[in-house]
Amino acid sequence: MTLRSVFRGWVDHYFSDEEAVILLVVLILGFATVIWLGRMLAPFFTALVLAFLLQGAVSWLERRSVPHFLAVILVFLGFIGILMSMAFILMPLIWNQLVGLVQETPRMFASGQQLLDDLQEHYPNLITPDQIQNWIDVAGREMTQFGQRALTMSLASLGNVMGLIIYLVLVPILVFFMLKDRDKLVGFTLSLLPQNRDLMNRIWQEMDVQIANYVRGKFIEITIVGSVAFVTFAYFGLPYSALLAVLVGFSVLVPYIGAAVATLPVAAVAGFHFGLTDEFVYVLIAYGVIQALDGNVLVPVLFSEAVNLHPVSIILAVLFFGGIWGFWGIFFAIPLATLLKALVYAWPRGIKRRRKNGMTATALIEE
């Protein structure tokens, strides 16, 4: 058996159906557009995700006999209200706490150095002065590099202020028209696709509910986890509560890894503020309870309709799509992995050639 025959057999097995070839071309064009034009079309993709989130509220109002245009106006005004609240209340609070944390860093660094000295004094055989000095040098280099990167980013962002303003104006406008003219836009998009698209329709019908459930559920999860974390940290008097709560909320984007990563700053701030006291232990216990309730109660309720994926598949999807598309790649890693799984199961495979009455016929066998 030659390599050519093996390759031809593989092509016949997976691409014997014309619709499968068309679907492959559509997927390649879609992924290529996002990879190469993603930065240029970022406002469009952002508006598309937000419109997808808000469409559920519009449909809910329409099911209660609210006219479509009025439902769009009400949902859009609510969206603008939330956006303005974040811009004028939440963001200044987070920024002030971030500035305070940066100013507090030298004192925290000195406290950490004193803690290492105390450990070396109590455990001289376990920790040597050379090890302490090495750790301090490494931490100092990391802090210096972090400060340089933050300064570089802040200077580079000065030239993008006008672009940011345009972005903030353009995205809400796109969201409004995507909600208002949803049927027209969907109809136009479908008119560009081939008429014979049974396979694409079947896969989309399977993915539509799952993607909607995931996107809206993830948005709700971020909001609930971040809000509960903020109330909890504020109750214990933990400084930078809003900043840490935002970090904890967004940590749920990366399953398994995010919770572990978010634990480090929470434990560090609590340790430097409270020391090794009962309050420090209480904060860590409360944070652990939040993560346990999120993983064992909130996630099963919000994502009950999502297709179960193996943890290894989820981590690989986060690493792969996050490396390609950054934040949005991480956000949509699980839906994209679910899409690939649906494609694998729904993809038509295999042809069987047989002769009947002296003529060749081709029968498609779907496994």
Side-chain angles (χ1 to χ4, degrees):
M1 181 178 294
T2 63
L3 181 62
R4 180 179 178 182
S5 62
V6 172
F7 179 75
R8 183 174 181 179
W10 181 82
V11 171
D12 288 341
H13 186 67
Y14 289 102
F15 300 101
S16 56
D17 188 359
E18 176 184 355
E19 197 175 351
V21 177
I22 295 174
L23 177 58
L24 179 64
V25 173
V26 171
L27 290 174
I28 292 176
L29 291 177
F31 277 95
T33 300
V34 174
I35 292 174
W36 287 321
L37 303 178
R39 187 179 299 273
M40 185 186 306
L41 299 178
F44 172 79
F45 291 129
T46 303
L48 186 63
V49 174
L50 293 174
F52 194 81
L53 285 169
L54 299 175
Q55 181 58 43
V58 174
S59 300
W60 183 83
L61 290 175
E62 289 179 340
R63 287 194 297 267
R64 281 150 182 80
S65 302
V66 178
H68 174 72
F69 186 73
L70 179 58
V72 170
I73 292 295
L74 292 175
V75 172
F76 184 74
L77 290 177
F79 164 68
I80 293 298
I82 295 174
L83 193 64
M84 298 295 286
S85 300
M86 293 179 61
F88 291 104
I89 299 177
L90 183 60
M91 293 306 297
L93 177 62
I94 294 175
W95 177 257
N96 290 334
Q97 292 195 358
L98 181 61
V99 172
L101 180 61
V102 172
Q103 295 175 347
E104 191 76 7
T105 300
R107 189 189 69 81
M108 297 174 66
F109 187 76
S111 299
Q113 184 175 359
Q114 181 62 42
L115 178 62
L116 290 176
D117 292 337
D118 293 341
L119 289 176
Q120 197 275 330
E121 182 178 350
H122 288 86
Y123 306 99
N125 296 327
L126 183 62
I127 303 176
T128 64
D130 292 337
Q131 289 177 326
I132 294 178
Q133 188 61 43
N134 185 35
W135 292 342
I136 294 174
D137 293 340
V138 171
R141 286 196 300 268
E142 291 295 330
M143 291 300 299
T144 303
Q145 293 177 1
F146 175 77
Q148 292 174 348
R149 287 195 295 267
L151 179 62
T152 302
M153 291 176 61
S154 62
L155 293 176
S157 63
L158 293 178
N160 297 327
V161 173
M162 185 58 66
L164 178 62
I165 295 175
I166 295 175
Y167 194 95
L168 293 176
V169 173
L170 184 60
V171 169
I173 294 175
L174 287 172
V175 169
F176 175 77
F177 283 106
M178 285 179 179
L179 292 174
K180 174 178 172 293
D181 301 325
R182 175 179 176 271
D183 294 336
K184 294 180 181 179
L185 294 174
V186 171
F188 173 75
T189 304
L190 293 178
S191 68
L192 300 177
L193 299 175
Q195 295 296 323
N196 183 21
R197 50 174 183 268
D198 294 337
L199 178 61
M200 285 184 279
N201 290 337
R202 188 165 67 250
I203 293 176
W204 174 248
Q205 289 173 1
E206 181 179 348
M207 291 298 302
D208 185 28
V209 175
Q210 297 171 9
I211 293 178
N213 177 71
Y214 176 81
V215 173
R216 296 180 186 125
K218 187 60 70 174
F219 180 79
I220 295 172
E221 183 187 9
I222 292 173
T223 304
I224 293 177
V225 172
S227 301
V228 173
F230 173 72
V231 173
T232 303
F233 296 156
Y235 172 78
F236 285 106
L238 190 67
Y240 319 114
S241 298
L243 183 62
L244 293 175
V246 171
L247 178 62
V248 172
F250 279 103
S251 69
V252 303
L253 286 175
V254 186
Y256 313 112
I257 303 174
V261 173
T263 303
L264 298 178
V266 172
V269 172
F272 285 118
H273 181 70
F274 296 118
L276 300 179
T277 60
D278 293 341
E279 287 80 1
F280 171 74
V281 176
Y282 295 154
V283 169
L284 292 187
I285 292 176
Y287 174 75
V289 171
I290 292 173
Q291 293 293 345
L293 292 176
D294 173 51
N296 296 289
V297 179
L298 192 58
V299 169
V301 171
L302 293 176
F303 305 107
S304 59
E305 299 180 11
V307 173
N308 292 326
L309 294 172
H310 194 276
V312 174
S313 302
I314 294 175
I315 293 175
L316 288 177
V318 169
L319 294 175
F320 178 74
F321 294 112
I324 296 177
W325 296 317
F327 171 80
W328 291 120
I330 294 175
F331 188 85
F332 285 104
I334 295 179
L336 290 171
T338 306
L339 172 61
L340 294 178
K341 182 178 180 180
L343 287 172
V344 170
Y345 281 99
W347 198 275
R349 331 172 157 79
I351 59 171
K352 180 180 179 181
R353 299 183 180 277
R354 65 176 184 269
R355 290 187 174 274
K356 183 176 181 181
N357 298 327
M359 299 180 63
T360 302
T362 302
L364 180 66
I365 301 177
E366 294 189 8
E367 298 178 351

